[in-house]
Amino acid sequence: MKHALLALALVFSITSQAQILKKIGEAAKNTAKQGVETLKQNTKEGITNAAELLVGTKHGQDTGKTKSRQTDISVEATSQIKEAATGDDHAADGLRWGDYPTVEVDFDDFEWAKVTDVYDDIFAIQKYDSKGTIWNFYNVETAKAVSTRGWRTQDTPRFDNGICAVCDTAPAKGSPANNPKYQWYILRKTGETTALDPTITAVGNFCDGLAVAKANGKMFFINDKGKAVLPDVNPNSFITYPLKDARRLFLGGFQKFGYLDADGRVVIEPQYKYARDFSSNHAIVRNASGKNVIIDPTGREVSEIPSQYMSFTGTTITDFVCGGAVARNNETERYDIITPTMEVRNSFDKATAFYNTLNIDEANALVMNNDWKHPKLCTPNGRTSDSSIFITIQGNNGEEAYLQPEPNGEPDNPLAADLLDRSYWNNTGLRLANVYLVNTTGALFNSQGKTLWKYDNEHIKPEDFSPAGYAKGIVMEAKSAATEEHFVFFDTLGNIKLEVVAKTN
């Protein structure tokens, strides 16, 4: 669980849930690689400080009692970024097709349904049988299966700190047919399992060392050893929220939100109809009076959110990062840079949320005014950079064109149930930019406005990067005789890490 230029909201998410054809032959795989350059052995001068693109806000306080979320960066991924070349060794499609493993999946009698993002170096592939959904787990670095069998899960699975909650696909022996019981386990990245109490009937995803389980009609927290913990806390949802700023959001009785501290003690009683994770020591909540307010870690209300920052679905204010947030002003139809006390530091025609750089005490947002030719970076104090963010390219008509990430998405306004997912993509420090009307070129920028790589959007349809530094993409074979599509995972430099294809018989 491990909750783009420049770190901004999901814009240009090409596909939210990719679908892949049922049968993909070896011809498609071979055709995809025809004409592609071999990865050069001698890389050129690396991109300066490019490692900062992976840094997020998952940097809570770790007391040793429960694990605080850290940015999910693998050593290898960071090393690859530092060693990035100038781009000469990319193929015409923008990808580096060096040696990489392949996952072959037998989809006879099944349809492609879902391939998850990579978390903790693990992704999962969903299949269906006559009894429901089955998940199979794979390591993105080795393409090896985590387990020799498939599993069922309570929600879309996500590995966190090396573990994931799973259950058998068949009922336990002696289980009554009219009320089947399934054994639950903790599955580890090594493939080892720990059987949980057989009375447990469901377990949600782990997050920072905790998960919510259910037994005998009651929900409770378990730790990474499978033991029941925090007996004084009565969760009312299978979602376990991350520990951020030494506070963990939880849904309690009467569908009200409260907060735990790093030791699992209730420090703010469940009382809010809506609540977000803490960020920069502030959280946005809706109190018992129906007012949307900003609170500090003690629960003290710092300010009330004014009407110009409200919409039909809630507030238009992003999370606070390094003391600043972006808010859509419905009166001026501009984006204000604000503080937790609602002080306006600057205003722009377009803006994204703030994203951390390598230094977690620094952050940038992408901003744009209508009279600007290109977007710029802005810090939480409202100051903009002197330089603009763009790439000059040659359009199909031979004329000069620009490739730049557009800050045209409104600040995120998630529902409470979406907060956990949001915590993963928020502040990844990466942004995809695509030019559809000029040509098929796309690019990936980091939170400092640096270009990491360019790609051909006609050949690869990338999705957004996870904080682990990997993104999914659908490889399009439209230019070849084989028109099938298939998945690849690639890193922030466009290196193909793994390919997912259908097994041929």
Side-chain angles (χ1 to χ4, degrees), residues 173-217:
K173 291 183 179 180
S175 178
N178 60 346
N179 187 23
K181 305 293 184 184
Y182 297 85
Q183 177 63 50
W184 280 83
Y185 304 85
I186 292 177
L187 175 64
R188 306 185 186 282
K189 290 170 62 174
T190 60
E192 299 173 315
T193 58
T194 300
L196 300 180
D197 187 320
T199 63
I200 289 178
T201 56
V203 184
N205 281 320
F206 278 89
C207 183
D208 294 334
L210 294 179
V212 175
K214 186 175 184 179
N216 301 316

Side-chain angles (χ1 to χ4, degrees), residues 287-505:
N287 63 23
S289 300
K291 296 180 179 180
N292 290 270
V293 298
I294 310 295
I295 63 171
D296 66 16
T298 68
R300 181 180 67 89
E301 295 185 1
V302 174
S303 61
E304 181 179 343
I305 298 176
S307 60
Q308 63 263 33
Y309 300 138
M310 296 300 301
S311 68
F312 290 110
T313 56
T315 178
T316 63
I317 302 176
T318 67
D319 288 344
F320 286 91
V321 179
C322 297
V326 177
R328 166 72 174 177
N329 190 318
N330 296 317
E331 295 179 355
T332 64
E333 296 186 351
R334 289 169 62 85
Y335 294 86
D336 296 339
I337 310 300
I338 63 172
T339 68
T341 58
M342 299 297 109
E343 173 192 353
V344 178
R345 291 178 170 174
N346 209 332
S347 184
F348 303 94
D349 289 317
K350 298 178 181 179
T352 62
F354 282 108
Y355 291 78
N356 287 108
T357 64
L358 183 61
N359 183 349
I360 61 174
D361 294 324
E362 297 177 355
N364 290 316
L366 185 66
V367 297
M368 182 99 171
N369 280 328
N370 292 334
D371 58 348
W372 296 357
K373 194 172 185 178
H374 308 292
K376 297 181 178 182
L377 297 177
C378 178
T379 60
N381 62 14
R383 297 175 183 173
T384 57
S385 60
D386 295 330
S387 58
S388 300
I389 311 302
F390 66 95
I391 304 173
T392 301
I393 61 176
Q394 184 175 357
N396 289 338
N397 57 4
E399 297 180 357
E400 185 179 74
Y402 301 106
L403 178 63
Q404 60 192 35
E406 290 289 343
N408 59 354
E410 290 192 13
D412 48 282
N413 178 32
L415 300 174
D418 299 328
L419 289 176
L420 184 61
D421 288 334
R422 187 168 121 298
S423 70
Y424 282 98
W425 57 257
N426 195 27
N427 285 291
T428 55
L430 302 168
R431 189 176 186 82
L432 295 170
N434 300 282
V435 175
Y436 295 111
L437 301 179
V438 178
N439 57 21
T440 61
T441 304
L444 177 69
F445 297 81
N446 71 0
S447 60
Q448 292 296 292
K450 297 182 184 300
T451 307
L452 299 180
W453 61 282
K454 292 186 293 184
Y455 57 89
D456 181 358
N457 189 262
E458 191 175 57
H459 185 83
I460 181 77
K461 299 292 186 183
E463 297 186 7
D464 295 280
F465 281 81
S466 72
Y470 300 98
K472 290 181 299 185
I474 299 180
V475 176
M476 312 297 293
E477 303 298 340
K479 295 181 179 180
S480 68
T483 58
E484 288 87 351
E485 307 168 349
H486 57 284
F487 264 124
V488 294
F489 280 100
F490 50 91
D491 63 18
T492 52
L493 301 176
N495 295 311
I496 300 296
K497 303 299 292 184
L498 179 144
E499 185 178 28
V500 181
V501 300
K503 182 182 294 183
T504 57
N505 297 321

Side-chain angles (χ1 to χ4, degrees), residues 229-252:
V229 294
L230 311 183
D232 296 329
V233 182
N234 298 307
N236 200 26
S237 168
F238 282 109
I239 297 177
T240 302
Y241 295 92
L243 181 64
K244 300 183 66 177
D245 292 345
R247 294 292 181 266
R248 188 194 296 268
L249 185 68
F250 77 101
L251 182 64

Side-chain angles (χ1 to χ4, degrees), residues 36-52:
V36 179
E37 298 180 10
T38 303
L39 178 63
K40 295 180 180 179
Q41 299 299 316
N42 299 320
T43 59
K44 299 181 180 181
E45 182 179 358
I47 298 175
T48 305
N49 295 328
E52 64 198 16

